Amino acid sequence: MAHTSQSLRRGAALLASTVAALGLLTACGNGGQGKSPESVSGTAAPATGNASSADTSGTSAVPSGTGSSSASQTGGSATGGGSSTGGTATGTAAAAGTRCHTSELTASVGGNDPGAGQENFPIVLTNKSGRTCTVRGYPGAAFVNAAGTQLGPDPQRESGSTAATVTLKPGQSAWAGLTFSNPEISGAKTATPAALLVTPPDEKDSLKVAWTNGAVPVSGNASSVRLNVFSAGTGA
């Protein structure tokens, strides 16, 4: 019995030692190797900050029709009287090759047609060439003194005007309105131009027209000069 009891005690001690050794090995394995990283699917949230986004809502509206917004002060030719025969206006845009060039035109300013405190003058372009050509949209215009210096700001395009292509046979004319408030009524500061420079639509060179209609507004209250698109005829 004593021998059996000692054998049992040695077996139990051996089993305990084995269990303890296994526990030590397990603990060492966890501490040395660690746990493998886990992949997590998904999209990372963007970082926050003070960066501003581009504003694409501020697109400038362009008035209908074409033509330069102001008269070029280079070039220019002698003026010619407007023909009483008007061209033909259509709503279709003309091909670039049919456009009237400055060298093919003469310019004049018709008589004043005042009304409701407004001064209204027709700017007339007449086809002096031997071919049929077209104008479409707004003229450019600028009042200048005898030295060629511009008086006042560029005229503004009248909003709401609808451009039409005006076909001009040789000798035919088209006109565009130039209007401003009567300075005596508006109280605007004035100057008396020597000439009006007129630039045909989509051209760079201008035509110089002697201005004989007195003072025009150049600054201050209600000093804006406005332009309309070309129509067939002389505006008379």
Side-chain angles (χ1 to χ4, degrees):
M1 292 294 293
H3 178 74
T4 301
S5 189
Q6 288 178 355
S7 297
L8 289 174
R9 285 196 297 270
R10 283 198 298 268
L14 180 61
L15 179 60
S17 298
T18 301
V19 171
L22 289 174
L24 180 61
L25 289 174
T26 301
C28 290
N30 286 339
Q33 299 298 327
K35 191 175 182 180
S36 298
E38 182 180 3
S39 297
V40 180
S41 61
T43 303
T48 61
N50 294 323
S52 60
S53 59
D55 182 4
T56 59
S57 63
T59 305
S60 298
V62 178
S64 60
T66 59
S68 52
S69 60
S70 64
S72 168
Q73 295 189 25
T74 61
S77 64
T79 64
S83 169
S84 60
T85 304
T88 303
T90 67
T92 304
T98 67
R99 186 177 81 241
C100 295
H101 300 295
T102 302
S103 60
E104 299 174 307
L105 300 167
T106 59
S108 62
V109 176
N112 187 16
D113 183 20
Q118 291 288 115
E119 310 301 317
N120 306 297
F121 298 90
I123 296 175
V124 182
L125 293 180
T126 302
N127 181 6
K128 70 175 184 178
S129 74
R131 74 178 185 107
T132 297
C133 60
T134 62
V135 295
R136 179 185 177 88
Y138 296 87
F143 291 111
V144 296
N145 61 18
T149 302
Q150 182 170 333
L151 303 174
D154 292 339
Q156 300 178 9
R157 294 177 174 184
E158 191 69 58
S159 60
S161 298
T162 301
T165 298
V166 183
T167 300
L168 300 179
K169 295 179 181 180
Q172 290 186 328
S173 301
W175 71 282
L178 180 150
T179 67
F180 53 83
S181 297
N182 185 313
E184 294 182 1
I185 297 175
S186 69
K189 294 181 180 179
T190 64
T192 301
L196 176 69
L197 298 184
V198 179
T199 308
D202 300 313
E203 291 291 297
K204 294 182 179 179
D205 294 330
S206 62
L207 298 165
K208 188 175 182 179
V209 183
W211 182 260
T212 59
N213 295 288
V216 300
V218 294
S219 65
N221 184 43
S223 61
S224 295
V225 177
R226 298 185 177 276
L227 297 169
N228 284 298
V229 295
F230 278 102
S231 300
T234 63

